[in-house]
């Protein structure tokens, strides 16, 4: 490899940035041009069909077959005007990616002539093979039938020459086999649970919305270098590699000037995203070299989550055009920051009220406090479930690192809101909650500052942080589908809101006023969350781990055991009460998660073993041979005196032999451990054995990385971190 590697690097760095073919119009002129949005509905559907479709989208009304046929025909006409030749049901199976099967519009008419047609049946439903996707035993191999069903609330869009219809994916017997179905159920549960509480404060509220703003972190790497690293290609991360002399210690990459090639990539991604109605707002350099972030304006959760999956697909295809590969692994490089996907979550009403932000008066503030405290209570009760929702083989490398929250779900409030909650515990239950600065005279003890957003510092060690008008679920991994975490969060909050409303109604039946009943119901909840889940300190410390365990929070760090939380009896009951998951679906998801964990560790173990034996050991022995030849030449030249002159060479020769032996022994022991694990049938037990195998990988890696520092650079067979991490 050696010299060839440097040529690859030079070619890569000297490549001219691809000229971005941006539309001549401003983004607003073509935003949503490839989406069958409301303006397209008005243009391509008759008034009655359009009204029926909008009623279906906004109010969940039934769409009959005749109307579906008219909708499908309007979509076909629009699509063909834009050069579309195929149609697909676009869905999100339990693979952390998307799936699609393309069909042409071609059909035979009654006379046997070929025509182009798209009807309501094809729009509403398709039948992919359910047994070929992860299903946790719900479908056997010979039971292949499954269905994709159109989600009218998520816009149909055009990508390349294909009309894409966002759909749910369920088994023949009705179980969810995807991320979208539970997410939509959870949105329904939390918005329905929130509505009657909102109406306690404002009778005009008719609907509650669920909002998501995601922040997508990722790495870029030169495609040629990526193709020279089998570990990157097959696992998404480097399984070996010594840290670069310079990485992120100077903190010069974060928010720094964006490299020209990367800026060109960003622009292309934004153009394609704008066409699909995705409101990307921000892009910038992240903390680690070659790490970047992209984020949109907030949107409704179901649509925003679809858009995140679309942006990931767009980034991957666009990166190739610019000579890059996108790395979404949570920890592709050792010793520098990994990548997460922060999920900014909130609720709002059709009257324009954001429920996670202070109100304009004491009534609005009490509403804010009500939802704020109940979200904390949901996180406190179900902290293990929220952790299970983000637990994966890849995210385990990131959680607990200096750039990510620990594997303990706690909530950061900041000084202001912590003080507010303490004051609420002390005040009389009939005291109004005022916003300081709004009134010339304070009527109560509890005041929320008028300048509220960003009134406190952020805590990067908190998995679940309040950031002024929303909660930020920071523990979600870069490669994850947001829906996994948000389905659990929405369900937990929905369940807590229902319990809270019932408690308030009981207090009111005892003769208490509504506001007094609310405050008195909140007080014991506040006391409990302050004592358990609320923590504003450093989440990285050993002291916090001990304190969290004392408080009763889940402190498990082993991924297979973390996943078990999904099928705890209390958790199953919560999900079934809210209608988000059935027990069968939860059991199936656990089987899938354990199986995926096992397979990912298994692949890493295989790749590491083969790279060590086929790449590194031969290179080390080649260099050792050069040293031995050098020693032989010195002996021939200087006789018995050569030993006084070849001390360094002999030391290196012996060290290489020792390291090679360590590597070979470690690989052999790992292979034997895999043989033991592979015959286990129980998926949980198998995953637990592979957890032990995962701990062996770093043991094997240490001598490999040490060899990298010894072996001649021209002999070393892999691109090094100094080459992978810097784009000019």
């Amino acid at each position: 490899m050696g010299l060839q590697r440097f040529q690859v690097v030079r070619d890569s760095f000297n490549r001219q940035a691809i000229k971005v073919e941006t539309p001549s119009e401003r983004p607003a002129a073509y935003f949503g041009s490839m989406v069958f949005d409301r303006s397209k509905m008005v243009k391509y559907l008759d008034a009655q069909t359009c009204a029926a479709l909008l009623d279906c989208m906004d109010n969940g009304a039934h769409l009959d077959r005749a109307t579906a046929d008219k909708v499908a025909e309007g979509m076909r006409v629009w699509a063909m005007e834009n050069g579309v030749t195929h149609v697909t049901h676009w869905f999100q199976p339990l693979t952390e990616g998307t799936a699609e099967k393309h069909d042409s519009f071609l059909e035979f008419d009654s006379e046997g002539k070929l025509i182009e047609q798209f009807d309501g049946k094809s729009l509403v439903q398709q039948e992919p093979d359910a047994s070929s996707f992860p299903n946790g035993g719900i479908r056997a191999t010979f039971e292949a039938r499954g269905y994709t069903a159109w989600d009218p609330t998520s816009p149909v869009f055009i990508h390349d020459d294909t009309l894409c219809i966002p759909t749910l994916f369920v088994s023949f017997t009705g179980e969810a086999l995807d991320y979208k179905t539970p997410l939509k159920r959870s949105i329904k549960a939390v918005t329905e649970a929130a509505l009657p509480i909102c109406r306690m404060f404002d009778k005009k509220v008719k609907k509650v919305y669920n909002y998501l703003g995601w922040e997508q972190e990722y790495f870029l790497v030169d495609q040629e270098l990526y193709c020279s690293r089998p570990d990157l290609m097959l696992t998404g991360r480097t399984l070996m590699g010594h840290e670069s002399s310079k990485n992120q210690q100077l903190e010069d990459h974060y928010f720094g000037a964006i490299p020209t090639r990367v800026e060109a990539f960003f622009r292309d991604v934004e153009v394609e995203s704008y066409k699909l109605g995705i409101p990307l707002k921000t892009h910038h350099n992240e903390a680690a070299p070659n790490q970047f972030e992209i984020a949109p304006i907030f949107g409704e959760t179901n649509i925003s989550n679809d858009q995140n999956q679309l942006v990931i697909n767009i980034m991957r295809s666009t990166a190739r055009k610019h000579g890059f590969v996108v790395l979404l692994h949570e920890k592709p490089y050792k010793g520098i920051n990994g990548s997460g996907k922060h999920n900014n979550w909130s609720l709002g009403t059709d009257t324009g009220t954001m429920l996670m932000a202070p109100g304009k008066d004491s009534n609005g503030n009490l509403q804010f406090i009500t939802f704020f405290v109940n979200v904390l209570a949901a996180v406190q009760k179900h902290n293990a479930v929220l952790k299970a929702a983000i637990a994966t083989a890849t995210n385990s490398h990131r959680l607990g690192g200096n750039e990510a929250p620990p594997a303990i779900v706690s909530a950061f409030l900041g000084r202001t809101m912590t003080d507010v909650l303490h004051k609420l515990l002390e005040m009389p239950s009939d005291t109004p909650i005022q916003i300081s600065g709004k009134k010339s005279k304070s009527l109560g003890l509890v005041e929320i500052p008028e300048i509220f957003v960003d009134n406190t510092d952020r805590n990067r060690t908190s998995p679940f942080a309040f950031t002024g008008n929303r909660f930020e679920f920071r523990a979600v991994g870069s490669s994850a589908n947001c829906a996994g975490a948000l389905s659990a969060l929405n369900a937990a909050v929905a369940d807590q809101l229902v319990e809270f409303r019932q408690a308030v109604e009981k207090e009111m039946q005892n003769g208490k006023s509504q506001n007094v009943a609310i405050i008195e119901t909140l007080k014991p909840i506040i006391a409990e969350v302050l004592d358990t889940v609320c923590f504003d300190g450093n989440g990285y410390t050993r002291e916090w781990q001990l304190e969290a365990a004392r408080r009763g929070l889940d402190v498990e760090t082993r991924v297979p055991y973390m996943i078990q939380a999904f099928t705890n009896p209390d958790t199953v009951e919560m999900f079934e009460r809210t209608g988000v998951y059935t027990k069968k679906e939860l059991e199936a998801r656990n089987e899938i998660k354990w199986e995926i964990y096992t397979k990912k560790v298994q692949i890493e173990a295989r790749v590491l073993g083969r790279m060590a034996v086929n790449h590194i050991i031969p290179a080390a022995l080649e260099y050792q041979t050069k040293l031995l030849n050098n020693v032989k030449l010195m002996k021939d030249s200087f006789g018995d005196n050569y030993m006084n002159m070849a001390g360094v060479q002999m030391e290196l020769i012996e060290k290489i032999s020792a390291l090679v032996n360590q590597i070979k022994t470690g690989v052999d022991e790992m292979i034997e451990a895999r043989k033991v694990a592979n015959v286990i049938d129980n998926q949980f037990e198998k995953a637990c054995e592979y957890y032990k195998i995962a701990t062996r990988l770093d043991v094997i890696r240490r001598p490999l990385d040490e060899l990298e520092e010894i072996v001649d650079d021209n002999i070393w067979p892999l691109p090094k971190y100094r080459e992978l991490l810097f784009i000019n």
Side-chain angles (χ1 to χ4, degrees):
M1 177 72 180
L3 294 173
Q4 181 185 0
R5 178 181 76 240
F6 287 107
Q7 185 60 46
V8 168
V9 175
R10 281 196 295 269
D11 290 346
S12 178
F13 284 176
N14 291 333
R15 184 191 298 107
Q16 294 297 313
I18 295 173
K19 184 179 180 182
V20 182
E21 297 295 335
T22 55
S24 57
E25 308 96 334
R26 302 294 297 172
Y30 61 88
F31 186 82
S33 60
M34 293 292 105
V35 177
F36 195 72
D37 55 19
R38 293 176 187 244
S39 64
K40 312 289 194 319
M41 295 173 195
V42 171
K43 180 177 179 181
Y44 290 91
L45 304 178
D46 62 69
Q48 184 177 355
T49 302
C50 183
L53 178 55
L54 292 176
D55 193 25
C56 174
M57 293 169 55
D58 296 338
N59 305 311
H62 174 69
L63 203 67
D64 60 50
R65 174 61 187 275
T67 304
D69 283 339
K70 293 178 181 179
V71 172
E73 177 60 17
M75 289 179 178
R76 184 191 66 80
V77 172
W78 168 69
M80 292 184 67
E81 288 179 2
N82 285 276
V84 166
T85 58
H86 287 71
V87 62
T88 185
H89 274 202
W90 182 83
F91 58 104
Q92 300 168 33
L94 299 174
T95 58
E96 304 274 333
T98 60
E100 49 198 75
K101 174 176 70 75
H102 295 202
D103 293 321
S104 71
F105 288 130
L106 297 180
E107 298 283 354
F108 285 106
D109 65 11
S110 58
E111 298 177 357
K113 294 180 180 178
L114 203 62
I115 60 172
E116 291 182 301
Q117 180 178 304
F118 182 49
D119 60 18
K121 181 180 179 181
S122 300
L123 167 64
V124 172
Q125 182 177 302
Q126 280 189 354
E127 186 182 327
D129 186 344
S131 67
S132 296
F133 291 98
N135 62 73
I138 287 177
R139 304 298 289 157
T141 302
F142 62 88
E143 296 174 320
R145 197 180 297 277
Y147 299 108
T148 50
W150 176 35
D151 174 15
T153 63
S154 188
V156 170
F157 59 92
I158 293 173
H159 184 60
D160 293 332
D161 62 354
T162 304
L163 180 67
C164 301
I165 303 164
T167 59
L168 293 75
F169 180 38
V170 297
S171 74
F172 178 71
T173 47
E175 291 86 8
L177 297 176
D178 65 343
Y179 284 101
K180 180 184 272 285
T181 302
L183 179 64
K184 286 181 67 67
R185 292 173 183 168
S186 76
I187 293 169
K188 181 175 184 289
V190 75
T191 55
E192 289 182 353
L195 181 59
I197 297 176
C198 289
R199 290 181 62 80
M200 290 180 178
F201 300 96
D202 183 359
K203 299 296 184 184
K204 297 178 182 178
V205 175
K206 296 180 180 178
K207 191 171 184 179
V208 175
Y209 295 96
N210 192 233
Y211 293 110
L212 165 65
W214 44 265
E215 303 168 24
Q216 179 70 59
E217 295 175 344
Y218 59 95
F219 283 82
L220 291 175
V221 63
D222 276 287
Q223 186 173 344
E224 294 95 334
L225 299 179
Y226 170 84
C227 292
S228 300
R229 292 282 313 215
D231 48 358
L232 274 181
M233 291 180 66
L234 298 177
T235 74
R237 75 178 181 112
T238 52
L239 299 174
M240 61 184 74
H242 199 283
E243 291 184 29
S244 171
S245 300
K246 177 186 183 296
N247 47 51
Q248 67 185 57
Q249 65 265 48
L250 295 179
E251 301 172 336
D252 54 343
H253 186 71
Y254 189 58
F255 278 22
I258 299 171
T260 304
R261 289 173 55 211
V262 177
E263 186 64 55
F265 159 77
F266 274 143
R267 296 302 183 197
D268 272 358
V269 169
E270 287 178 342
V271 167
E272 293 305 308
S273 297
Y274 293 156
K275 291 177 183 177
L276 294 174
I278 303 171
L280 293 182
K281 178 73 172 177
T282 302
H283 65 252
H284 61 81
N285 291 2
E286 254 299 332
N290 271 16
Q291 188 187 32
F292 307 94
E293 181 178 296
I294 195 165
I297 299 171
F298 270 57
E300 290 186 45
T301 297
N302 181 44
I303 297 174
S304 185
N305 186 61
D306 284 358
Q307 291 176 342
N308 177 248
Q309 294 299 300
L310 273 173
V311 166
I312 288 173
N313 292 343
I314 291 169
M315 287 197 303
R316 283 173 167 157
S317 60
T318 304
R320 298 282 184 175
K321 298 174 184 177
H322 291 265
F324 295 130
V325 173
V326 174
L327 300 180
L328 291 170
H329 193 288
E330 281 72 17
K331 195 77 169 179
Y333 303 107
K334 183 180 179 181
I336 63 173
N337 282 12
S339 296
K341 176 149 45 190
H342 300 173
N343 281 220
N344 295 279
W345 175 92
S346 186
L347 298 172
T349 71
D350 58 340
T351 59
T353 300
M354 294 304 295
L355 298 177
M356 299 302 157
K360 298 178 181 179
D361 52 29
S362 60
N363 187 62
N365 287 325
L366 180 56
Q367 177 176 254
F368 158 62
I369 291 295
T370 295
F371 281 95
F372 179 80
V373 169
N374 276 287
V375 170
L376 294 175
V379 174
Q380 179 258 319
K381 289 179 180 177
H382 301 289
N383 66 94
V385 179
L386 295 180
K387 186 166 69 174
I390 53 88
T392 64
T394 53
N395 205 21
S396 65
H397 295 286
R398 166 179 167 262
L399 295 180
N402 288 333
E403 82 286 352
I408 301 170
V409 175
S410 62
F412 169 78
L413 309 186
R415 180 178 300 174
T416 299
M417 286 310 302
T418 300
D419 289 346
V420 166
L421 294 188
H422 280 293
K423 288 180 180 180
L424 279 165
L425 288 177
E426 301 167 1
M427 76 177 194
S429 297
D430 59 351
T431 306
I433 303 173
Q434 302 295 337
I435 301 178
S436 63
K438 289 286 187 179
K439 302 281 185 181
S440 58
K441 179 181 179 181
S442 175
L443 301 179
L445 298 174
V446 180
E447 298 181 344
I448 301 174
E450 183 177 358
I451 302 175
F452 190 80
V453 177
D454 299 332
N455 69 349
T456 186
D457 199 359
R458 297 180 67 185
N459 187 323
R460 66 202 304 268
T461 72
S462 175
F464 197 81
F466 181 65
T467 56
N469 58 3
R470 61 194 182 276
F471 283 96
E472 184 179 20
F473 196 178
R474 301 183 67 252
V476 183
S478 173
S479 64
N481 188 311
C482 304
L486 294 186
S487 295
L489 176 60
N490 283 336
V493 172
D495 198 56
Q496 173 61 29
L497 289 175
V498 170
E499 181 181 323
F500 173 79
R501 177 173 58 83
Q502 291 171 347
V504 170
E505 290 173 349
K506 185 175 180 180
E507 291 291 327
M508 292 173 65
Q509 289 170 1
N510 293 332
K512 295 177 182 176
S513 69
Q514 177 176 286
N515 284 7
V516 169
I518 289 172
I519 291 292
E520 293 196 355
T521 304
L522 285 174
K523 282 187 174 182
I525 301 175
I526 292 171
E528 185 169 5
V529 297
L530 286 173
D531 287 343
T532 54
V533 77
C534 296
F535 176 68
D536 288 359
N538 184 354
Y540 295 154
T541 65
R542 174 62 179 165
E543 289 75 14
W544 166 237
Q545 295 174 24
L546 297 174
E547 172 65 15
R550 187 194 66 77
R551 293 186 183 194
L553 298 177
D554 188 285
V555 295
E556 181 61 68
T557 58
R558 298 167 297 175
V559 171
Y561 293 89
M562 291 160 66
I563 293 168
Q564 276 187 311
F566 267 123
T567 48
N568 290 340
D570 290 347
T571 302
V572 173
E573 290 176 9
M574 180 273 289
F575 278 123
E576 290 191 325
R577 278 195 302 270
T578 55
V580 175
Y581 291 112
T582 65
K583 183 179 180 180
K584 186 175 182 180
E585 288 172 336
L586 290 168
E587 291 172 345
R589 272 166 166 71
N590 273 15
E591 291 289 307
I592 292 167
K593 282 176 171 283
W594 287 323
E595 184 178 5
I596 290 175
Y597 177 87
T598 293
K599 288 178 177 178
K600 288 194 173 183
V601 177
Q602 185 181 66
I603 291 169
E604 288 190 350
R606 288 173 174 172
V607 172
L608 180 61
R610 289 167 183 170
M611 288 180 68
V613 172
N614 298 332
H615 291 71
I616 306 306
I617 289 179
L621 295 179
E622 181 182 347
Y623 181 55
Q624 188 183 54
T625 300
K626 287 183 67 175
L627 293 172
L628 286 166
N629 287 334
N630 179 263
V631 171
K632 183 177 184 300
L633 287 172
M634 293 187 73
K635 182 178 180 180
D636 292 343
S637 300
F638 301 105
D640 292 341
N641 195 40
Y642 84 96
M643 286 299 294
N644 295 326
M645 306 173 66
V648 172
Q649 292 93 317
M650 293 303 298
E651 181 182 341
L652 289 174
I653 289 167
E654 292 176 4
K655 192 166 188 178
I656 289 170
S657 291
L659 292 173
V660 166
N661 285 332
Q662 287 181 40
I663 293 166
K664 186 63 168 63
T665 299
V667 170
D668 289 345
E669 290 175 350
M670 180 180 65
I671 291 172
E672 292 304 311
R674 280 178 15 221
K675 290 178 181 178
V676 172
N678 288 342
V679 299
I680 298 174
D681 291 328
N682 182 280
Q683 289 294 350
F684 169 66
E685 294 174 4
K686 191 171 186 176
C688 291
E689 284 302 307
Y690 264 96
Y691 172 81
K692 297 175 186 176
I693 292 170
T695 63
R696 295 175 179 266
L697 301 187
D698 276 340
V699 176
I700 298 172
R701 177 175 186 151
R702 282 193 287 271
L704 289 167
D705 290 355
E706 196 169 345
L707 277 177
E708 184 181 313
E709 292 289 275
I710 296 173
V711 173
D712 185 341
D713 197 54
N714 286 326
I715 295 175
W716 194 255
L718 302 173
K720 297 182 178 181
Y721 273 23
R722 67 168 183 257
E723 296 150 15
L724 295 168
L725 284 173
F726 297 95
I727 294 173
N728 287 342

